[in-house]
Amino acid sequence: MVERTVEIGVRTDPGCFPPNLVRNQKYSLLTFLPLSLYEQFRYFFNMYFLLVAISQFFPPLQVGFLFTYIAPLVFVVAVALLKEAYDDFQRFMRDAEANGEKYEAYLGDGKWGRIASRDITVGMVLRLKSNERVPADCILLKTSEKDGSFVRTDQLDGETDWKLRIPVACTQTMKDDLIVKSGIRLWAQEPHVYIYDFIGKVLPEGVCMQEADPLSLENTMWANCVLATGTALVCVIYTGKETRSSLNANQPSTKIGLIDLELNFLSKLLFVLTLFVALIMVAFQKFVGEWYISFFRFVLLFSSIIPISLRVNLDMGKAVYSFFIMRDAQIKGVVVRNSNLPEELGRIGYLFSDKTGTLTKNEMVFKKLFTGSDVPKGWLHTDMEEMEATIDAYNSKQHAASASSSTASLERQETDYDFTKATSSRQMEDLINAVMSLAVAHNVTPVVDTDSGVRMYQASSPDEVALVKFCESIGVILDYRDRTTMSLRSRHKHATFTDSVHLEKDNFGYKIVSSEDAQEEHVGWYLVAVDSRPYTEEIDINSMIRLRQGGLNVKVEKRVNFEILIEFPFTSESKRMGIIVRNIDTRAIHLFMKGADTKMAEIVKPSPWLEEECTNLAREGLRTLVFGSKKLPEDEYTEFSKLHKLALKSRDPKKEVEVIRVKIEEDLNLVGMTGVEDKLQDDVAKTLEHLRKAGIRIWMLTGDKVETATCIARSTRLVAKDGGIFPFDCESDRYESLWEREDGREGWRPGVVITTEELALDFLQSFERYVASGSRLGGVTMVIDGKSLEKLILCETEFVEAASKAASVVVARCSPTQKADIVEVMKKNIKGNLRTAAIGDGGNDVSMILAAHVGLGIEGKEGRHASLAADYSLVKFCHCLRLITWHGRNSYKRSARLSQFVIHRGLIISFIQAVFSALFYFMSVPIYTGWLLVGYSTVYTMCPVFAIVLDEDASEETVMEFPELYRELHKSRALNIRTFLQWVFKAVYQGSVIMLLAIYFFEAQFIRIVTITFTALIMTELITVWFEMHKITWPFVVSELASFVVYAISFFFLDALDTAYVSSSSFWWKTSVITFAACAPVTAAKVVERGCCEPSSSKLKEDTDPWIFRAVFRFSAWLASKRSVEVPPAAVPLL
């Protein structure tokens, strides 16, 4: 990847740069089989059964029919390969569609034609139409729009706002055919991943690099953007894998669920168990002869101990859970993008959340405005009528002064508002200056929808739109804006002409001009309508038309028109934006700036109220912006303009502009500060409270300042009502730490900035002492700012240990990189089997979402970038409560029981084989072969066992009412070594009982023992799963009956079963006795165990116990009530 100089319209050699291909496929025709098979056999399950299947090709190791070992493996692997092939084919079709999309391009020799996207090369000129996708990274040469074209970048950076792109100045005025033959060259830096940075130059013929005009991000159109308005002529500079979208398309690492890792570990234990049992069999043979051959044969006989169907059942269960999630009517719009992680939702211990757009709606509403440099005047959102009246009074005052020297006057009609409420002259001027700064210092563009006629505002930040809408609400309307001009107007006012006036037409309408001789203007006033009819008479721009409509009712508006001279866009580094404009009427030049309070406080003149009021606004949870302005003399602006042009032509324009910008910002006047409220999401407080009761620690990570973040934490109940706050705050160069409790009392003392690891450790210890004091019943919330975090995170272990004791954690002034770092540190150091989840809605949350065990993305106002990168896409934050506590809990508990039951199913048949071999002189002869062995784990038992994925151990109402039930999952009691051993012992007992009793009832013929044991085995499995179910549903009943019917029918088709013996009464009573002996003691033992450990809540006991236990408990209670003796009333002693 190198820098390049391309001539417009001249195609480069295809071998010089990458082809313009979109490729999202994982495989090709040659690599599909080797790579996909490698992915399958890297798992222990599949590799083990592959070796087992291969062993059957060697006669000494054969223990059964070959297909009984080959068929299951082939089925499992084939299903996985077909799924991979289907997914990759879908990617191939999407790639083919994108690569085959046709575009109009210049083909040379004055010819234009349509070519496929794959044939586009660097240097080629394309003609794009509205709503057409940009196929490669391009420079905008020309547009049909006057001031540039808007592009939609939501598929690139996830932001939904339209962005204005400016054509190259020297080509905008040229015809298309002349542009491609002009010989103009474009120089572009080497491609990189940063979508918001670009350095380039335009080199007309005869111009050297040092004198060339610069190209910036505003001149670019990146691949996968969509042209929103007009038509555009572009020149390709980057193609294929060198485009910004391809460079940023990093494939996220594959996430593996904790339950998969646990089962992988258990499968290794089962393998050890298989070797151990095989070794015992060989030992009883006293290792005679070729004992190692016998050992391998026994290993193959007991291979069912590791069930090959476990992976299939789990994957099918995950698909069912995902289906339930997306079909849940209470969380409509949830999309499962990664179906491998539903069980992870049941193990969440930490939830890392963004603030803006996630906990809040990202809907900004103006709340407060402070004006004045010395003594502040506070204006609330409820004072809009007074503010508008003040502005009207100011305009009328200006007009009266202008009209006093002319023969024309404009009498404003009365309104309903009492003008006596208008403030003093000083406060009036302060308000006008502040509102003017709000109305000018932004990058908002008014757009009118051509279909609906609705007026909208496009901007990169909702804060800017909120402030422009506020200005509109008090009568200062952004009417027009392009690259070079901006026009503000007032509302239409009713007025009366009492003398002759003249009108002069300009770019904004019909300007009112008074005396024909003196040509003194009513500055900024325009005629809109006469007698309620729009004034549209065509007037020559240089002519003066006399109106003698004495007493005629007209509508007028006040306009202030600006020429935009220089703009300084907002960046995360500068934390401010600025604009230099010239008033077209007065020719005065002004610099308007706005930015974060921490940065603007360094620029504006010292103020006695700024820091205090800014802190107060932050405590109210409002987002703050500080505004400043100054008037620039003509000579100062001229000098700065020269320096600015030179900086733009330098090798690093961004850095050079920042250097010279500091000079012009000196002595900036403070004109005001705004407070904007970001509304909370629906039910966010209730959701966080329930998640906290569920044992989930909430971390709020935000880029806002500490005071704002703390206030939002309180309003969302992230900080409990009786909870405390422990701040690690470096913003004000102060730190508050807990006093040592020498006198038995708690106190706070000012400290120092956290600058070293030793100091960080000291403060962490102070936090732990404060938590240990127990003074806050609602727990303690740790509040950290970005600077402190840099030092605290170095003490990795101590930081995690201290933070785990906090009720919640708030991290302010946090960068996207720091968000991901925090998640990584917590993943690495948290104890137990807790999992992390991260939720956000913007592109800056993607790194955090990808770093967490489970990523949750919200489709918000900042676009779909986070949603597309997440494992689960949500519409609202409150949906995560039901997703985690209901669906996550069910998924984990169901998969835990399903996996252990599948393991039990394999163990029981293996121990039947072990007892059989032991009783028949330790011979390595299989008891079941052929279709019996294949059908056992498929058609005979699969459906009833898989029906566990439909079971509910507690009702939906109970789970949502008692979120504490989720806390129990953190102890991993559903799947651990203890529960695993319980199922192993159960399988050992049941397998041994079935085989021993069958031998006891053995009647000479071997086929009868197969019939008796296999029938008892099937009945035992069906009854056991019936007793394990908490809730009996009709799909489960149908699956039980269908499985038994299928087995009954198989008597007539399988030679391995004695059909004649089945019809005898001897078969049925013997099978029933064996089945009862295998099931009854196990069920009784579990009833006794549950009876000794009763749940604290009778309601929860009724919900969480299996149905058979509830029936036993009810019967016991009824029996106890019958045995109780009632005391006659006469026997009660009188008190």
Side-chain angles (χ1 to χ4, degrees):
M1 293 188 287
V2 296
E3 63 182 46
R4 65 215 48 201
T5 301
V6 299
E7 185 176 344
I8 296 177
V10 178
R11 302 176 62 174
T12 57
D13 186 353
C16 296
F17 302 105
N20 194 49
L21 292 175
V22 176
R23 180 176 174 80
N24 295 304
Q25 293 173 256
K26 293 175 62 176
Y27 313 104
S28 66
L29 289 176
L30 295 177
T31 61
F32 173 72
L33 274 180
L35 291 181
S36 56
L37 287 174
Y38 168 76
E39 290 294 328
Q40 292 303 312
F41 290 109
R42 63 188 295 190
Y43 293 106
F44 180 79
F45 278 105
N46 292 345
M47 179 56 71
Y48 172 74
F49 282 100
L50 176 64
L51 296 176
V52 169
I54 292 175
S55 69
Q56 295 305 290
F57 288 97
F58 300 93
L61 300 178
Q62 287 181 355
V63 294
F65 296 111
L66 182 63
F67 81 94
T68 60
Y69 293 92
I70 296 293
L73 178 64
V74 171
F75 174 76
V76 171
V77 174
V79 169
L81 292 187
L82 287 174
K83 182 178 180 297
E84 279 291 308
Y86 176 78
D87 291 343
D88 208 50
F89 180 73
Q90 293 297 315
R91 288 189 286 266
F92 168 76
M93 295 301 293
R94 289 193 293 267
D95 291 347
E97 181 180 357
N99 293 327
E101 193 172 353
K102 300 291 185 179
Y103 292 91
E104 187 176 2
Y106 179 70
L107 304 178
D109 298 330
K111 297 179 181 179
W112 293 78
R114 299 188 67 80
I115 64 171
S117 176
R118 68 173 69 90
D119 299 324
I120 293 174
T121 59
V122 172
M124 185 175 288
V125 174
L126 307 177
R127 186 181 285 152
L128 304 177
K129 298 179 181 179
S130 179
N131 294 320
E132 201 167 23
R133 182 183 71 90
V134 182
D137 287 358
C138 305
I139 297 294
L140 180 58
L141 302 177
K142 182 180 179 181
T143 174
S144 60
E145 301 294 297
K146 177 183 177 183
D147 303 298
S149 292
F150 282 99
V151 294
R152 298 195 296 269
T153 63
D154 54 310
Q155 297 302 315
L156 179 65
D157 57 11
E159 297 180 358
T160 56
D161 58 288
W162 293 5
K163 295 180 175 61
L164 183 65
R165 291 296 180 255
I166 310 302
V168 177
C170 63
T171 56
Q172 171 65 12
T173 56
M174 301 171 62
K175 293 183 178 181
D176 294 0
D177 292 337
L178 294 179
I179 293 176
V180 297
K181 299 177 181 178
S182 63
I184 297 176
R185 294 170 297 146
L186 301 174
W187 174 85
Q189 65 180 150
E190 65 278 1
H192 55 70
V193 299
Y194 305 107
I195 59 177
Y196 299 114
D197 288 333
F198 174 73
I199 299 176
K201 292 181 181 295
V202 55
L203 303 165
E205 284 188 303
V207 176
C208 62
M209 183 69 73
Q210 290 74 17
E211 299 176 355
D213 291 328
L215 296 173
S216 65
L217 180 67
E218 291 183 335
N219 305 118
T220 63
M221 295 176 69
W222 299 141
N224 289 333
C225 295
V226 176
L227 182 62
T229 58
T231 60
L233 203 69
V234 298
C235 181
V236 178
I237 54 171
Y238 305 124
T239 54
K241 62 183 182 182
E242 291 186 343
T243 61
R244 293 295 197 272
S245 60
S246 295
L247 292 172
N248 281 276
N250 297 326
Q251 294 295 328
S253 59
T254 302
K255 296 183 179 181
I256 301 176
L258 179 60
I259 195 170
D260 296 311
L261 299 176
E262 291 172 338
L263 290 175
N264 194 53
F265 173 73
L266 293 181
S267 68
K268 296 175 182 177
L269 292 183
L270 291 174
F271 179 67
V272 173
L273 179 61
T274 302
L275 298 179
F276 177 72
V277 176
L279 186 62
I280 290 177
M281 292 296 174
V282 175
F284 276 106
Q285 290 180 341
K286 299 181 180 181
F287 298 101
V288 295
E290 296 180 335
W291 62 268
Y292 51 88
I293 297 294
S294 298
F295 175 77
F296 280 111
R297 286 177 60 85
F298 277 119
V299 169
L300 296 174
L301 280 176
F302 304 144
S303 61
S304 296
I305 290 179
I306 304 176
I308 191 173
S309 60
L310 179 58
R311 175 60 55 189
V312 177
N313 279 273
L314 281 179
D315 289 344
M316 292 173 58
K318 294 174 189 290
V320 172
Y321 307 147
S322 300
F323 175 78
F324 287 160
I325 290 173
M326 291 192 288
R327 289 294 298 271
D328 192 336
Q330 297 189 38
I331 50 175
K332 286 185 177 180
V334 173
V335 178
V336 179
R337 302 194 188 279
N338 187 348
S339 61
N340 294 324
L341 304 173
E343 298 91 354
E344 294 292 89
L345 293 170
R347 316 283 287 275
I348 302 300
Y350 291 87
L351 177 64
F352 301 90
S353 175
D354 176 43
K355 181 183 75 69
T356 304
T358 303
L359 300 179
T360 60
K361 291 184 177 180
N362 205 13
E363 292 182 3
M364 307 300 175
V365 179
F366 168 83
K367 286 296 181 181
K368 284 188 177 182
L369 169 65
F370 283 91
T371 61
S373 56
D374 300 326
V375 181
K377 163 68 176 176
W379 303 84
L380 302 178
H381 65 285
T382 55
D383 299 331
M384 289 186 180
E385 189 177 2
E386 181 180 354
M387 284 188 276
E388 184 171 4
T390 303
I391 294 172
D392 285 345
Y394 180 82
N395 288 337
S396 298
K397 179 181 178 181
Q398 274 197 326
H399 171 74
S402 176
S404 61
S405 61
S406 73
T407 59
S409 64
L410 183 65
E411 296 179 358
R412 188 185 183 281
Q413 291 188 347
E414 292 297 323
T415 66
D416 295 332
Y417 185 77
D418 183 8
F419 273 91
T420 60
K421 292 180 67 177
T423 54
S424 66
S425 177
R426 174 63 183 274
Q427 291 180 343
M428 180 186 296
E429 291 183 3
D430 288 342
L431 177 63
I432 293 298
N433 291 335
V435 172
M436 188 61 67
S437 295
L438 268 63
V440 176
H442 55 71
N443 194 29
V444 179
T445 302
V447 178
V448 177
D449 192 308
T450 55
D451 297 328
S452 62
V454 177
R455 182 186 184 82
M456 301 179 297
Y457 292 113
Q458 289 292 339
S460 58
S461 169
D463 298 65
E464 290 194 325
V465 175
L467 294 178
V468 171
K469 286 183 176 179
F470 157 69
C471 293
E472 181 177 353
S473 67
I474 60 174
V476 180
I477 303 169
L478 177 63
D479 188 59
Y480 177 81
R481 177 177 180 150
D482 59 25
R483 191 160 53 94
T484 59
T485 56
M486 180 191 306
S487 179
L488 307 176
R489 69 170 177 84
S490 67
R491 300 190 199 279
H492 297 162
K493 307 295 183 183
H494 291 282
T496 302
F497 285 131
T498 58
D499 204 348
S500 62
V501 296
H502 292 84
L503 301 180
E504 182 180 82
K505 184 179 180 182
D506 63 12
N507 293 334
F508 304 103
Y510 298 98
K511 184 187 296 184
I512 301 173
V513 182
S514 55
S515 170
E516 183 176 359
D517 297 327
Q519 295 190 8
E520 293 179 355
E521 299 180 329
H522 298 266
V523 178
W525 288 97
Y526 286 74
L527 179 64
V528 178
V530 177
D531 257 353
S532 301
R533 294 191 303 273
Y535 190 80
T536 58
E537 180 182 353
E538 291 296 327
I539 303 174
D540 180 50
I541 192 170
N542 295 318
S543 66
M544 294 293 182
I545 307 298
R546 182 182 298 274
L547 279 178
R548 294 188 179 277
Q549 304 284 353
L552 188 63
N553 187 15
V554 299
K555 281 185 179 179
V556 296
E557 64 185 13
K558 171 78 172 180
R559 278 188 179 272
V560 182
N561 305 317
F562 294 101
E563 177 187 358
I564 300 175
L565 302 176
I566 298 175
E567 287 186 83
F568 306 105
F570 179 89
T571 64
S572 57
E573 294 82 11
S574 67
K575 296 184 179 180
R576 65 193 189 280
M577 70 85 62
I579 185 171
I580 300 177
V581 297
R582 185 197 302 272
N583 189 309
I584 295 178
D585 293 317
T586 64
R587 308 305 294 171
I589 301 175
H590 285 85
L591 166 65
F592 295 98
M593 290 195 64
K594 71 175 179 184
D597 56 284
T598 53
K599 190 65 179 179
M600 292 296 291
E602 303 172 359
I603 300 174
V604 298
K605 295 177 180 178
S607 168
W609 60 267
L610 179 59
E611 182 177 355
E612 179 182 358
E613 295 299 343
C614 185
T615 302
N616 292 337
L617 290 181
R619 286 173 180 167
E620 297 176 25
L622 304 181
R623 297 163 64 96
T624 57
L625 279 175
V626 177
F627 291 79
S629 70
K630 66 183 269 191
K631 187 175 182 179
L632 298 178
E634 185 72 34
D635 56 346
E636 183 179 353
Y637 165 72
T638 303
E639 182 64 25
F640 177 79
S641 178
K642 294 178 181 178
L643 295 175
H644 185 260
K645 290 179 180 178
L646 291 175
L648 291 178
K649 294 182 179 181
S650 64
R651 295 286 294 184
D652 192 352
K654 190 175 180 180
K655 180 180 179 180
E656 294 299 324
V657 168
E658 190 65 27
V659 171
I660 65 168
R661 177 181 178 180
V662 176
K663 299 178 181 179
I664 203 170
E665 291 173 348
E666 295 176 353
D667 297 326
L668 200 68
N669 298 312
L670 173 65
V671 296
M673 180 179 63
T674 59
V676 178
E677 179 188 35
D678 193 355
K679 293 184 177 180
L680 295 181
Q681 289 275 11
D682 298 336
D683 298 325
V684 65
K686 177 183 176 182
T687 300
L688 291 177
E689 184 176 2
H690 276 68
L691 290 174
R692 190 166 56 249
K693 289 180 179 179
I696 299 176
R697 306 290 178 88
I698 314 295
W699 288 47
M700 184 175 75
L701 313 179
T702 177
D704 277 345
K705 62 184 304 180
V706 172
E707 291 82 1
T708 305
T710 304
C711 181
I712 294 296
R714 288 191 181 278
S715 61
T716 58
R717 299 183 192 174
L718 193 59
V719 179
K721 293 181 180 179
D722 53 353
I725 291 180
F726 193 95
F728 293 79
D729 184 4
C730 292
E731 284 195 339
S732 58
D733 292 342
R734 293 169 64 87
Y735 173 81
E736 294 180 334
S737 180
L738 191 68
W739 264 338
E740 297 291 342
R741 303 183 64 190
E742 297 174 354
D743 56 355
R745 295 181 302 171
E746 296 174 3
W748 298 92
R749 62 174 175 81
V752 295
V753 183
I754 302 179
T755 55
T756 63
E757 290 187 45
E758 291 76 13
L759 203 54
L761 287 173
D762 177 54
F763 295 153
L764 289 173
Q765 292 170 2
S766 297
F767 173 78
E768 292 185 14
R769 288 195 295 270
Y770 183 41
V771 174
S773 68
S775 59
R776 295 291 185 175
L777 298 178
V780 182
T781 296
M782 179 187 291
V783 179
I784 313 170
D785 74 316
K787 294 180 181 178
S788 299
L789 181 65
E790 293 177 2
K791 299 301 179 183
L792 292 172
I793 210 168
L794 295 176
C795 313
E796 201 171 279
T797 305
E798 295 80 2
F799 171 65
V800 173
E801 184 177 352
S804 63
K805 297 178 181 179
S808 57
V809 178
V810 175
V811 183
R813 298 299 193 196
C814 184
S815 68
T817 304
Q818 286 180 317
K819 290 182 180 181
D821 290 342
I822 291 172
V823 176
E824 290 289 355
V825 167
M826 295 303 296
K827 282 173 58 179
K828 180 181 177 182
N829 293 277
I830 54 177
K831 298 178 181 179
N833 293 324
L834 301 181
R835 312 305 275 172
T836 61
I839 183 169
D841 73 314
N844 60 335
D845 301 317
V846 170
S847 56
M848 171 181 71
I849 288 172
L850 293 177
H853 292 113
V854 181
L856 308 175
I858 297 178
E859 293 189 13
K861 293 184 178 297
E862 295 188 24
R864 302 181 62 207
H865 203 175
S867 169
L868 294 173
D871 302 305
Y872 295 88
S873 172
L874 313 179
V875 177
K876 297 180 180 179
F877 176 82
C878 61
H879 288 174
C880 73
L881 174 63
R882 183 175 177 84
L883 179 68
I884 292 173
T885 58
W886 172 244
H887 291 287
R889 182 180 184 275
N890 284 342
S891 299
Y892 170 60
K893 300 206 73 171
R894 289 166 175 172
S895 286
R897 294 176 62 239
L898 173 65
S899 58
Q900 292 177 113
F901 210 99
V902 172
I903 291 174
H904 165 269
R905 187 175 62 187
L907 283 169
I908 189 173
I909 194 173
S910 296
F911 277 102
I912 288 176
Q913 174 67 56
V915 174
F916 173 79
S917 297
L919 294 176
F920 285 87
Y921 308 102
F922 302 100
M923 295 176 60
S924 56
V925 176
I927 182 173
Y928 307 125
T929 58
W931 286 109
L932 287 182
L933 198 59
V934 174
Y936 169 67
S937 59
T938 54
V939 293
Y940 299 150
T941 61
M942 180 176 178
C943 290
V945 172
F946 187 71
I948 292 176
V949 302
L950 305 176
D951 193 24
E952 294 178 4
D953 70 321
S955 65
E956 180 181 333
E957 294 76 14
T958 301
V959 171
M960 300 308 293
E961 183 180 356
F962 298 98
E964 292 81 2
L965 285 173
Y966 187 88
R967 191 188 295 263
E968 295 296 317
L969 303 183
H970 293 166
K971 301 175 183 178
S972 300
R973 291 178 176 174
L975 177 63
N976 53 33
I977 295 296
R978 178 175 173 270
T979 60
F980 169 72
L981 292 177
Q982 286 178 343
W983 282 97
V984 171
F985 292 146
K986 183 188 297 186
V988 171
Y989 167 77
Q990 291 179 327
S992 301
V993 166
I994 290 173
M995 193 66 237
L996 291 174
L997 289 179
I999 292 295
Y1000 178 78
F1001 294 132
F1002 180 52
E1003 297 181 2
Q1005 295 182 8
F1006 178 77
I1007 191 173
R1008 290 186 176 180
I1009 194 173
V1010 173
T1011 304
I1012 292 175
T1013 57
F1014 196 77
T1015 303
L1017 174 62
I1018 297 299
M1019 296 298 294
T1020 299
E1021 284 295 297
L1022 296 180
I1023 292 174
T1024 302
V1025 72
W1026 184 287
F1027 284 165
E1028 284 293 325
M1029 295 294 287
H1030 296 86
K1031 182 178 181 181
I1032 303 300
T1033 59
W1034 69 264
F1036 172 69
V1037 175
V1038 170
S1039 65
E1040 286 267 303
L1041 295 175
S1043 298
F1044 183 77
V1045 170
V1046 170
Y1047 177 66
I1049 294 174
S1050 65
F1051 278 113
F1052 302 98
F1053 299 97
L1054 297 179
D1055 295 333
L1057 300 176
D1058 188 350
T1059 308
Y1061 183 59
V1062 170
S1063 60
S1064 66
S1065 59
S1066 173
F1067 167 78
W1068 288 109
W1069 77 260
K1070 290 179 180 179
T1071 303
S1072 299
V1073 170
I1074 295 174
T1075 303
F1076 179 80
C1079 295
V1082 172
T1083 305
K1086 202 156 189 177
V1087 171
V1088 172
E1089 181 189 5
R1090 287 294 181 93
C1092 296
C1093 305
E1094 294 187 20
S1096 58
S1097 170
S1098 60
K1099 179 177 181 179
L1100 294 183
K1101 184 179 83 169
E1102 183 175 350
D1103 274 313
T1104 57
D1105 283 334
W1107 70 273
I1108 185 64
F1109 297 159
R1110 298 200 300 270
V1112 172
F1113 292 146
R1114 288 169 182 166
F1115 176 76
S1116 301
W1118 175 82
L1119 192 62
S1121 66
K1122 291 297 181 182
R1123 292 178 178 176
S1124 62
V1125 180
E1126 294 186 2
V1127 180
V1132 179
L1134 298 176
L1135 298 178

